[in-house]
Amino acid sequence: MFQPDRYLLKQQIKKNIKYIKGVVLDAGSGEGGRYKSFFKFDKYLTLDINPLSKPDILGSVESIPLENKSIDSIVSTQVLEHIKDPQKAVNEFYRVLKSGGYCLVTAPQFNELHEEPNDYFRFTKYGLEIIFNKAGFKIILLEQRGGFWVTNCQTQIRYVIDLFNLNRHAWLAKIFNPFFLICGRLSILIDGLDKSRANQKHALGWLAIVKKP
């Protein structure tokens, strides 16, 4: 099913793949590393707390079982909101990353409740700046994902998905998906045209590129 948030998230990551190389850690990877195919790397390690995900490394991003300065790049997508202490997780990213290495991190500013009860936080641009600066990172990029129009459309799509449990009813999802696609694409187009401050005050989330000095 088409969702503007997922579409824009993929586009953001693809646009910033140049920062990720060498030995890569996918921190909070879930099953298999969803965006692994986007990157060029020497080695790609998945880390997750859930053994059912079959990660290369079983563990928490709050206490990564790796040595100091052992990783060239870190990818962590839509993970920080599920961590009880996101500052501790970002501190761990800093610890295991080599000097000069980059992190690509995405986090939501708006999201429906999901993966409950392990859903704790939402982040503004300014909150992410505090977390990364406190850990010692240099912020290279903080890029907004979506404005008012996309956020509004995404909200409606997620409501319908959850209301009719479309993830478990494929035949019904096929009926709704063309409407999701039209609504989603149109909202992305309008967001691109609406340069107002009012539009920019709304966001689905953020992508951060940060560097360890």
Side-chain angles (χ1 to χ4, degrees):
M1 289 175 288
F2 184 86
Q3 296 185 55
D5 191 25
R6 293 185 180 182
Y7 174 81
L8 292 174
L9 183 62
K10 288 181 180 179
Q11 297 306 308
Q12 277 190 317
I13 294 171
K14 285 180 179 179
K15 191 165 63 174
N16 291 284
I17 59 174
K18 65 181 180 181
Y19 294 102
I20 304 302
K21 53 191 173 182
V23 179
V24 178
L25 176 67
D26 190 333
S29 60
E31 296 181 8
R34 181 178 296 178
Y35 305 108
K36 180 179 179 179
S37 62
F38 293 179
F39 307 110
K40 294 181 180 179
F41 50 83
D42 298 325
K43 190 175 184 179
Y44 197 94
L45 298 171
T46 56
L47 166 76
D48 202 89
I49 199 169
N50 184 358
L52 297 178
S53 297
K54 299 181 179 179
D56 298 314
I57 304 167
L58 183 63
S60 168
V61 295
E62 294 174 277
S63 182
I64 299 173
L66 290 172
E67 295 181 1
N68 296 350
K69 301 180 180 180
S70 57
I71 296 295
D72 295 304
S73 309
I74 293 175
V75 175
S76 185
T77 60
Q78 308 300 91
V79 173
L80 291 182
E81 70 268 29
H82 301 294
I83 307 302
K84 291 180 180 179
D85 189 345
Q87 183 66 64
K88 189 174 182 181
V90 173
N91 291 347
E92 279 291 273
F93 294 170
Y94 189 91
R95 179 184 67 80
V96 302
L97 196 64
K98 294 178 182 178
S99 297
Y102 291 89
C103 289
L104 184 158
V105 179
T106 71
Q109 179 169 308
F110 172 84
N111 239 150
E112 75 288 346
L113 284 173
H114 60 291
E115 298 185 25
E116 299 172 68
N118 301 310
D119 189 9
Y120 309 112
F121 297 100
R122 300 294 181 267
F123 299 89
T124 66
K125 170 184 179 179
Y126 307 105
L128 290 172
E129 285 178 344
I130 290 172
I131 290 173
F132 290 123
N133 285 330
K134 190 177 290 187
F137 282 109
K138 178 183 178 181
I139 298 173
I140 306 300
L141 173 69
L142 263 175
E143 183 178 82
Q144 184 171 339
R145 184 170 61 262
F148 168 78
W149 301 99
V150 166
T151 300
N152 189 43
C153 179
Q154 175 69 27
T155 303
Q156 294 179 58
I157 288 175
R158 278 306 317 185
Y159 174 79
V160 173
I161 289 173
D162 293 337
L163 180 65
F164 296 107
N165 201 9
L166 297 186
N167 287 320
R168 295 190 177 183
H169 296 94
W171 65 273
L172 193 55
K174 289 181 180 179
I175 295 174
F176 278 102
N177 197 51
F179 299 98
F180 294 166
L181 184 59
I182 293 169
C183 171
R185 291 286 191 176
L186 186 60
S187 69
I188 292 169
L189 175 63
I190 297 174
D191 255 355
L193 296 173
D194 186 349
K195 306 300 183 182
S196 70
R197 174 60 178 157
N199 185 45
Q200 295 170 2
K201 289 177 74 172
H202 300 262
L204 281 172
W206 299 88
L207 176 139
I209 302 292
V210 298
K211 181 179 181 181
K212 180 175 180 178

